[in-house]
Amino acid sequence: MARLSDAFIDDLLARTDIVEVIAARVPLKRQGREYSARCPFHDERSPSFTVSPTKQFYHCFGCGAHGTAISFLMNYDRLEFLDAVDELARRAGIEIPRETRQHNENPDTRDLFAILDEAARFFRGELAGNAEASAYLDRRGVDAAVREQFAIGHAPGGFSALKDALGSDPRRLSLLERAGLLSKNERGHSYDKFRDRVMFPIHDRRGRVIAFGGRVLKADDSPKYLNSPETPLFHKGRELYGLWQVRQANQKIARLIVVEGYMDVVALFQHGISQAVATLGTATTPDHAELLFRNAPDVYFCFDGDAAGRRAATRAMESVLPRMKDGRQAFFLFLPEGEDPDTIVRNEGAAGFDARLVDATPLSQFLFDSLAEDGINLATLDGKARLAERARPMLAQLPDGAFADLMQQRLTELTGVGARNSAPHVHVPTQRAHRAPVSTAPRRSLVRSAIALLLQKPALALDITPPYRFVALRQPGVPLLTELIAIVSARPDIGTGALLAQFEGREEAAALQKLASQTMPGEEAGWHLEFLDVIGQLDRQTLMQRTDELQAKQREEGLDAVDKAELRELLLARGRNVG
């Protein structure tokens, strides 16, 4: 059966800029030849996560996370292997053959997607036959086209409508449970999680249903909104409702409007505002912020004007600050009490809602306004000092650039603090975590040096031709060096990350990761000569080793004609090397 060939993966990784892939999700700062950040896979205060554009791999010196662009997408976006490959392939303009895709799909994941799709179709069918749910959508002004666009459905009342329709055997019941569509009572009996609700399917970035949100039909029922639980396919802190529909409706997404509810998204689409998304019953997370800015340069957060809305806006601001690269903008729109985007757009139309967006508060103003709350008096020195103290840790999160400089300038205008000091966002990077191995490492053996050079630039293995004399050298690491050269010779386009992936799960993996993560002295242009020199020295050591063996044999038992001829050649070769 077909599988993704090594050549396909090597070509895909060669066409992928790992820095671009990771920078779209994690704020990176250049540190010499590499980029660094606080690791997205564990909590840390100082950056120990590095990304190498030349080696095309990432490594965290804190938790040990490492790999290629493929493994990063699998771990960060929580994608299956094939989905990660597919995303990179689409970016690179490469198509995965259909038979290869089918063979590489995870059957378990495929079955979960299938049962969720069946559930979505079941709910849509139920909506057509339920007068109350249809009347509810009619009252909200949701027409048939928008219902179809969002695949809106209805979950029947009772406790087993979906279960009876789709759970025809124990395996399918298990799938329904794992997909978050069934709940269990204290006696262990399963029942439909969603009952008598308008159903809103949540789609992933490929348009597949991964979860549902359900809204009650009666005002006194609770909870008003019910979301699917976390499942192998659904992680609410990483998904945005409506993003799939936004992508389908807009060839180029100039802005995204973040609202709080499913019906807010649907209502804005109904009135021609097709850039609305909603977080899924949770505050705006850093992952949400990355996803938003990955899709649009301008992001508008739309919240209620009450205290809860202000708190939600503050959390959103904290999530976007580290991601405010130059060219990105964030705004905050606070609605009048008792209003939401649904009511505003129905009463004022798209033009009225757009006018409110034009008057939205920029991030820069909202940050200083929120910091100045709680009675800070900027007319006093104490008030200015307090504002400056509150602002410092916030501004320190901003990526280097014009926006960070202007924000520091604004702080100086407000408080006078920083006029003679360096900007608070500029700091001396902590690099002890990844420089320590270089500065304290003992002098490398020749074999270790050859391996280190190969890990920096695998194509160096192509500079030598077989037969390789050094393979007979009895030294630690020679078999590993030989294997590395053989892999590169068979896969000439392989990069560092893919080369390291060949040793996952083996005892050599940790040492190879450590070597690959170190910074080699000198310029890349000189590595070719250095590698050839090291291989030459290893070859000479091999000559000496064989010479010593034959001379010892000559003393102990004598040599036959073949051995004598070989010894003469070896002594002549050693003489030439000395000369």
Side-chain angles (χ1 to χ4, degrees):
M1 288 189 291
R3 61 181 290 272
L4 288 174
S5 67
D6 292 335
F8 179 90
I9 296 298
D10 292 344
D11 181 47
L12 176 62
L13 292 175
R15 297 193 194 195
T16 298
D17 183 351
I18 193 172
V19 173
E20 184 179 307
V21 171
I22 295 180
R25 294 157 173 81
V26 179
L28 296 177
K29 290 192 175 184
R30 180 180 283 278
Q31 301 288 348
R33 295 173 180 166
E34 300 181 341
Y35 293 81
S36 69
R38 284 185 288 186
C39 181
F41 302 118
H42 80 288
D43 293 329
E44 61 177 6
R45 294 185 177 181
S46 57
S48 62
F49 179 84
T50 63
V51 183
S52 172
T54 55
K55 306 170 196 172
Q56 285 295 299
F57 88 117
Y58 66 91
H59 180 80
C60 176
F61 292 88
C63 69
H66 60 270
T68 64
I70 295 174
S71 62
F72 181 85
L73 290 181
M74 291 175 66
N75 292 315
Y76 187 86
D77 285 358
R78 298 188 183 182
L79 299 179
E80 291 288 328
F81 171 77
L82 188 64
D83 291 335
V85 170
D86 185 62
E87 179 156 329
L88 294 179
R90 283 189 287 107
R91 290 169 57 100
I94 306 172
E95 187 168 346
I96 303 174
R98 182 183 299 274
E99 63 276 10
T100 303
R101 180 192 302 277
Q102 292 172 345
H103 173 66
N104 282 271
E105 282 181 336
N106 183 326
D108 187 56
T109 301
R110 184 178 60 234
D111 291 344
L112 280 175
F113 279 122
I115 203 76
L116 285 160
D117 184 63
E118 287 185 53
R121 284 189 274 114
F122 171 80
F123 292 139
R124 289 171 71 181
E126 290 296 313
L127 175 64
N130 188 279
E132 185 181 7
S134 296
Y136 168 82
L137 293 172
D138 289 339
R139 290 195 304 272
R140 301 297 293 263
V142 183
D143 65 20
V146 173
R147 296 182 199 188
E148 182 70 20
Q149 185 178 19
F150 284 88
I152 298 173
H154 174 253
F159 286 85
S160 64
L162 180 69
K163 178 181 174 182
D164 292 343
L166 302 186
S168 56
D169 57 54
R171 175 182 163 278
R172 289 177 64 82
L173 282 173
S174 175
L175 282 171
L176 287 169
E177 289 180 5
R178 292 174 54 228
L181 293 168
L182 299 182
S183 297
K184 279 189 176 180
N185 60 23
E186 58 274 8
R187 290 177 296 176
H189 296 153
S190 60
Y191 57 92
D192 290 358
K193 182 176 183 64
F194 297 99
R195 304 179 303 281
D196 197 21
R197 290 175 179 268
V198 176
M199 298 298 290
F200 301 87
I202 300 164
H203 298 83
D204 69 4
R205 283 149 241 183
R206 291 175 58 183
R208 300 171 298 187
V209 177
I210 55 174
F212 291 90
R215 192 197 189 282
V216 296
L217 291 170
K218 302 178 179 67
D220 54 348
D221 288 345
S222 64
K224 182 178 179 181
Y225 283 103
L226 180 66
N227 293 322
S228 292
E230 297 267 318
T231 71
L233 302 182
F234 177 56
H235 309 279
K236 64 183 179 180
R238 293 175 176 264
E239 303 293 342
L240 293 166
Y241 176 72
L243 184 58
W244 167 252
Q245 285 79 7
V246 171
R247 285 176 163 175
Q248 299 307 298
N250 298 270
Q251 186 172 9
K252 182 178 181 181
I253 307 172
R255 67 181 183 183
L256 282 173
I257 305 162
V258 185
V259 295
E260 296 187 71
Y262 303 104
M263 279 304 304
D264 293 324
V265 173
V266 171
L268 290 173
F269 267 78
Q270 180 69 58
H271 287 80
I273 300 176
S274 60
Q275 304 89 30
V277 297
T279 55
L280 301 163
T282 183
T284 305
T285 66
D287 291 329
H288 285 145
E290 282 296 338
L291 189 55
L292 289 163
F293 280 125
R294 217 184 308 156
N295 284 277
D298 294 354
V299 177
Y300 292 79
F301 293 96
C302 187
F303 295 108
D304 293 342
D306 58 12
R310 292 276 171 175
R311 287 195 296 272
T314 299
R315 288 194 292 271
M317 176 185 67
E318 291 169 350
S319 292
V320 302
L321 276 174
R323 290 148 183 89
M324 290 302 297
K325 301 175 184 176
D326 290 345
R328 294 177 172 180
Q329 298 185 97
F331 302 89
F332 296 84
L333 172 61
F334 296 99
L335 301 179
E337 186 175 354
E339 300 279 9
D340 56 33
D342 182 11
T343 60
I344 291 287
V345 77
R346 280 195 284 160
N347 293 332
E348 302 178 4
F353 192 83
D354 278 332
R356 289 179 178 270
L357 291 177
V358 170
D359 292 332
T361 304
L363 169 66
S364 54
Q365 180 182 335
F366 178 66
L367 184 146
F368 288 115
D369 287 350
S370 62
L371 291 176
E373 291 175 354
D374 301 328
I376 287 183
N377 184 359
L378 290 179
T380 67
L381 292 178
D382 289 347
K384 291 179 179 180
R386 182 172 296 179
L387 177 63
E389 194 61 30
R390 288 183 179 180
R392 286 183 188 279
M394 305 292 282
L395 299 189
Q397 299 179 52
L398 291 169
D400 292 337
F403 182 69
D405 293 340
L406 290 170
M407 289 291 281
Q408 173 57 31
Q409 181 179 321
R410 179 58 178 156
L411 178 63
T412 300
E413 291 170 358
L414 290 171
T415 66
V417 175
R420 292 174 296 176
N421 298 327
S422 60
H425 69 277
V426 177
H427 63 284
V428 178
T430 303
Q431 298 191 28
R432 284 179 294 177
H434 66 275
R435 288 193 179 276
V438 178
S439 60
T440 61
R443 183 178 179 85
R444 294 192 185 104
S445 70
L446 288 174
V447 175
R448 187 179 176 87
S449 295
I451 292 174
L453 285 164
L454 274 181
L455 293 174
Q456 301 295 314
K457 190 176 181 181
L460 290 173
L462 305 176
D463 293 342
I464 58 175
T465 56
Y468 309 121
R469 178 174 287 161
F470 64 85
V471 299
L473 188 61
R474 292 190 299 275
Q475 281 190 15
V478 169
L480 178 58
L481 172 61
T482 304
E483 184 177 358
L484 287 166
I485 292 173
I487 292 172
V488 178
S489 299
R491 300 167 59 181
D493 295 326
I494 196 169
T496 301
L499 184 59
L500 292 170
Q502 300 298 302
F503 294 87
E504 285 291 341
R506 291 175 47 175
E507 61 180 357
E508 303 96 330
L512 289 175
Q513 281 291 335
K514 185 176 180 181
L515 273 180
S517 303
Q518 294 177 1
T519 301
M520 294 292 291
E523 297 298 322
E524 184 176 344
W527 294 347
H528 164 76
L529 293 177
E530 186 178 350
F531 183 70
L532 292 180
D533 179 64
V534 170
I535 295 298
Q537 291 187 62
L538 291 175
D539 284 346
R540 288 192 290 275
Q541 288 186 7
T542 308
L543 288 175
M544 294 175 63
Q545 173 185 281
R546 181 57 178 161
T547 301
D548 291 344
E549 289 174 353
L550 289 173
Q551 288 177 334
K553 183 179 179 181
Q554 185 180 42
R555 289 192 298 270
E556 294 172 6
E557 56 187 86
L559 301 177
D560 59 21
V562 174
D563 287 341
K564 288 179 180 178
E566 182 184 359
L567 180 57
R568 282 195 298 271
E569 287 297 322
L570 289 171
L571 291 173
L572 286 173
R574 287 181 60 177
R576 287 194 297 268
N577 288 333
V578 172

